[in-house]
Amino acid sequence: MTTIDATPDTGNKKDSPSNPRRRVYRPNTRYIPILATLALLVIMYGGAVANYENFGQPSVVVNLFRDNAVLLVVTVGMTFVILTGGIDLSVGAVISLTTTLTATLLQGGWPPLVVLVLVLLIGSLIGAGQGAVIHFFKVEPFIATLAGLFLARGLALFINQQSIPIRDETWKAISEYRIPLADGVVTKPVAVVAVAAVLIAAAVLAWTRFGRNVYAIGGSADSALLMGLPVGRTRIAVYTLSGFCAALGGVLFSINSTSGWALQGNGLELDAIAACVIGGVLLTGGSGYVFGALLGVLVTGLIQTIIIFQGDLNAAWTRIIVGVLLFAFIVLQRLVTRKAK
Amino acid sequence: MTSLLKNRLFWPAAILVVMLVVNAFTSNQFITVRDGHLFGSLIDILRGSAPLLLVALGMTLVIATGGIDLSVGAVMAISGAVACLLIRDLSDQNSVGPVLLIMLVAVGVSLLAGLWNGALVAVVGIQPIIATLILMVAGRGIAQLVTDGQIINVQSGPYATIASGFFLALPVAFLIAAAAVVLITLLTRRTALGLLLESVGGSPTASRLAGIRARRITVMVYVVSGGFAGLAGLIYSANIKSADSISAGNLIELDAILAVVIGGTALIGGRFSIAGTVLGAVLIQAMTVTVVAVGVPSEATLLFKAVVVVALCLSQSPVFREKVFGRFTPRPAARAEVPAS
Amino acid sequence: MGEQSPVLEMTGIRKVFPGVVALDGVDFRLFPGEIHALMGENGAGKSTLIKVLTGVYTIDGGQVRLGGEVVHINGPLQAQQAGISTVYQEVNLCTNLSVAENIFIGREPRKFGRIQWGQMRRRASELLARLDLNIDVSAPLNTYSLAIQQMVAIARAINVPTAGPAATSATGTASGTGTAAGGGAKVLILDEPTSSLDASEVAQLFAVMRRLKADGVAILFVSHFLDQIYEVSDRLTVLRNGQLIGEYRTAELPQVKLVEKMIGKELAALEDLEDKAQRSRERTAGAEPIVEARGLGRAGAIAPFDLTIHAGEVVGLAGLLGSGRTELARLLFGADRADSGELRFAGKPVTLRDPQVAMKRGIAFSSENRRTEGIIGDLSVRENIILALQASRGWTRPIPRRRQDEIVEKYIKALQIRPADPERPVRNLSGGNQQKVLLARWLITEPRLLIIDEPTRGIDVGAKAEIQKLVAELSDGGMAVLFVSAELEEVLRLSHKIEVLRDRHLVEELQNTEGVDADRIMQTIASGATS
């Protein structure tokens, strides 16, 4: 369009790039962070396969989903929140509340299905409450969900400060159930739930009005409002969804550990946020994909797996190496993304 | 009177006063003189709030530039670990000179940690929440490495003084924090630093084009934040006379951020208030002390805190205040809002 | 036209804010198939009237009739449904979404709740094709220029499915094929759509407007550019201080008369300036060159160029959006670093590493993006004004408060910044006053070279004339000025010398003598247009 037409009535200005600076070579910038993450993930995986015996076995990859099912589910919810430009710090605490409540209720002899529905409902309610406070009272998401964090963990501690074992048969049965995928490769139901969550979320974001409204709000909430989109409803729904995902993550956690404890899921919110960022979901909102967040979770999971394969690392070194790898990853991704632009 | 009610800091201040009054009635000693020193729960609050106050001071500057520093807790752990390790190896743990020197070294290490954060944010261009997350994860590992995973106990009189000593009848820890407050206030309000900080936080691009070296200022605030976290780590470790790399400064970043926000500084950066932060930090500490004084059971401590935080956040939301307190002041009809959803 | 009944008729509109009567018994009518300009200075009541129409404000008196029936508009959504659509100056779209989505979001074609992307893209393409726009509708909106974003906003506005009584017969079902342009909105309000567009983009927008007009849409057009008003509008209504001054046929009202009606007094300033521009061109002949750029350039931004600016000289940069105007200006301030060539400032070679280095030499630069690269909205007028001076002194040497107050008071007075309250947050000021604050920020640094990028964009006639006058005065006082503007008339009026840019190349230098006019510059810009 800018290639100048001094005679403006020439009518059709076909596909001429509107502005050389903005248009050339930039059709797919949206995918660059994801592709960079994917490439680096593959490189890291390749390096690990070359260095450690047995790393190349398919079970290593399959187990990534099993071991990170909780984080994955929570990250899915977090992705929605971050896409609207918000943040949810309460997810780790909602997990601890969920596991504590689940274990307590199951111990009290409640029917498992009722417990499941109840804890999912409570998680969603906490999310909805945060969303309402953020939307109606214009409290910053960071602060509103920080208060939610205190509240949820406070409730969990109030219920019980000790770890409570789960002896319910249903929970145990799910925990011990194995799904054969291929010869010698099995996985757990929790992994299936997590993968399903990712797929559903991706579909919702890509193909529903709700999903597109999420992106629109993240792009510009003011514009979205002027375009007549249901900004308030969407924003509250997003936090509700995140609360639901956190509660679901809590259920998965309680299945994995067959116990409930108020300190479970401590700090998980930061892992989820980090996974989103590594996967190219911008903290400012409006840009990113669930599959990117999935890659982010796999990166952190792979780092953990490598550390386990390394074997002789103590807790101190584990933390340091996680930090160093995180650092290397973010810097590399930053360089790749910057180059591509 | 109405203008007083409208002040953002009115409700935090009111809650603080209420807590102090409650303390004055419930604790057997609110403020007394013993051995020429001041004692009592008021003094406990002032002394106990010193680490949080120091961390929150640094955090205020970081947040003013639109950033955030999650690594402060980890830096506290590192600083305490370094100090205790070196003091333990002293031939005479009670000699003042070497202990002072060691404390300088520990603060120096913390400044370096801050420099690292600042470089990641300002030079590499990583989002602050992620950049500081790296050190938050790795930093505690480093601290554990320094202490070799053990808790290092020290028996150093001079070292213990910074936490529990008295000078001019006042606790030394409080005096250190007060000095820091005075220093930062002078530095930001008597020089042009405050203006430049607020400008960078308001708009980094516009600031750069106005000739402000925004990058340099950004690095500096992270360095300051690191230094204050280090100082806080020393007070914390001197108080328990040991280095505990797991629990030192655990979750203090959240409290510090909370203190800053309660104090009226917005997380998006720009305008900041040192006085507000001081109020916020003291309030949070008063809450902890009061909970004990009133006899709230330990399992409900966090819940109590959550309720106060929720109340505070709501009290500072203009919309909430308008809805609750605004009935008596007719608002101009001009502000017809766009109906949400 | 004329003989029809108006589609929109407002009578005796009154709107009162605490302490101010914003609209005092204003009448306004709009006929189908006309482009009607709403004129007035800032504060005249234009935006209040538009906000009444779009349902943002409710009126305190008077009546609004739409298609003959009295309506009460209670909100933007209701206004849209009644057939009144608005495109604002700041494009209110979500630029992170694709073009097609921006047109359809909230009313995407769906099947079983699933968005039909293929259908949506097809319909978006069709709709845009009617506006003579053939672009990739699946690309994010932010990869396109503001002009195209503006068109997309118009496409969205005219595609609104209306629920009003008149519209139900015209449009099919909501999920029908793309409504014909004009089938949705009956009234289209364009609030300063051209303020960020360059000449060719404006021409394209006008083509779209004429097409919609032919389709019977009533268009309410607001612009600060008088030439554009005369080019495109059929009639105009002038407001002043919340009162109706009159409704005129555009062709029958001379430009000077129009301005007089707007500001309510005879206008000497602009005429005066015309004379001045003819003045002392010889003056710069003997003056020392302040800037000598030889082969200065930056890959991807601006090709190497030669440029000389003398003291007391106003050099205009002309060219279209994206031609490299701003990029050239940024190089001379060190906002971007040059990667080739050399620069001499006041005879000495300099390397501008960052803005501060440039400022130390006496260079000042006011960006075209007032809001994102100029003012710091949270800070007060005073703080914004002293910011650059303080930055060059460094943080250890604060400007004493008394001195600040003196400087600020002086410049608020000299530049007539309104309101004259130094402690008010600058974000609450109008665009023109924000621009003056930025000028004040740089003037107090006493620069030898002042680079101003689009200082008059989106500000009203009065303020614009004041700023132009100020530039002329500064250059008379010996300051070198590099003046960047999309508006050729303005460049011509002020500059001694005009540098013409095209496709990131400085293609020609024109002395502003007799015979050089807008057409001549446009020819230079257009000649040998890239194929």
Side-chain angles (χ1 to χ4, degrees), chain A residues 87 89 133 135-140 142-144 146-155 157-159 161 225-226 229-233 266 269-271 273-274 277 281-284 314-324 326-328 330-331 334 338, chain B residues 68 70 116 120 123-127 129-131 133-134 136-145 148-149 246 250-251 253-255 257-258 261 265-268 297-300 302-303 305-307 309-310 313-314 317-321 323 338-341:
Chain A
I87 201 159
L89 295 182
V133 167
H135 175 69
F136 291 115
F137 300 134
K138 311 262 177 290
V139 176
E140 288 187 77
F142 196 101
I143 294 305
L146 182 58
L149 183 162
F150 288 144
L151 198 64
R153 182 146 292 134
L155 278 171
L157 284 169
F158 187 67
I159 292 168
Q161 290 180 304
L225 202 61
L226 281 172
L229 303 181
V231 173
R233 207 169 62 202
N266 199 357
E269 58 277 358
L270 291 173
D271 293 339
I273 294 166
V277 172
V281 183
L282 286 190
L283 284 178
T284 42
N314 61 22
W317 277 111
T318 308
R319 284 171 187 278
I320 292 172
I321 291 195
V322 170
V324 167
L326 199 62
F327 164 71
I330 290 167
V331 170
R334 173 115 196 119
R338 199 187 270 171
Chain B
I68 203 156
L70 295 183
W116 161 266
L120 284 189
V123 182
V124 187
I126 302 177
Q127 287 159 316
I129 193 170
I130 296 300
L133 180 65
I134 292 172
M136 180 189 182
V137 174
R140 238 168 244 290
I142 295 171
Q144 278 174 298
L145 209 60
D148 205 14
I246 300 296
N250 190 23
L251 292 183
E253 59 277 354
L254 295 182
D255 276 346
I257 294 166
L258 201 61
V261 172
T265 302
L267 282 177
I268 48 167
S298 67
E299 63 266 23
L302 197 56
L303 206 54
K305 187 167 162 184
V307 171
V309 168
V310 170
C313 289
L314 289 181
S317 149
V319 187
F320 184 82
R321 284 150 53 138
K323 280 190 180 145
V338 180
S341 65

Side-chain angles (χ1 to χ4, degrees), chain C residues 66 72 86 122 128 150 166 265 268 277 296 336 347 368 398 439 515 526:
Chain C
L66 201 60
H72 300 280
T86 315
R122 204 169 50 247
L128 289 174
Q150 200 76 254
K265 60 182 176 203
L296 201 67
D336 298 321
E368 62 174 335
L439 280 173

Side-chain angles (χ1 to χ4, degrees), chain A residues 83-84 135 209-210 212-235, chain B residues 338-341, chain C residues 76-77 80 88 90-97 101-102 105-107 156:
Chain A
L83 279 177
T84 64
H135 175 69
R209 280 195 184 166
F210 168 67
R212 302 320 295 175
N213 290 347
V214 166
Y215 280 96
I217 292 172
S220 164
D222 293 341
S223 294
L225 202 61
L226 281 172
M227 289 200 281
L229 303 181
V231 173
R233 207 169 62 202
T234 307
R235 199 173 265 155
Chain B
V338 180
S341 65
Chain C
L77 264 183
Q80 281 184 17
Y88 297 93
E90 313 289 328
V91 180
N92 275 298
L93 295 176
C94 294
T95 55
N96 59 325
L97 302 181
E101 274 199 279
N102 269 295
I105 194 162
R107 44 177 189 263
R156 179 182 174 85

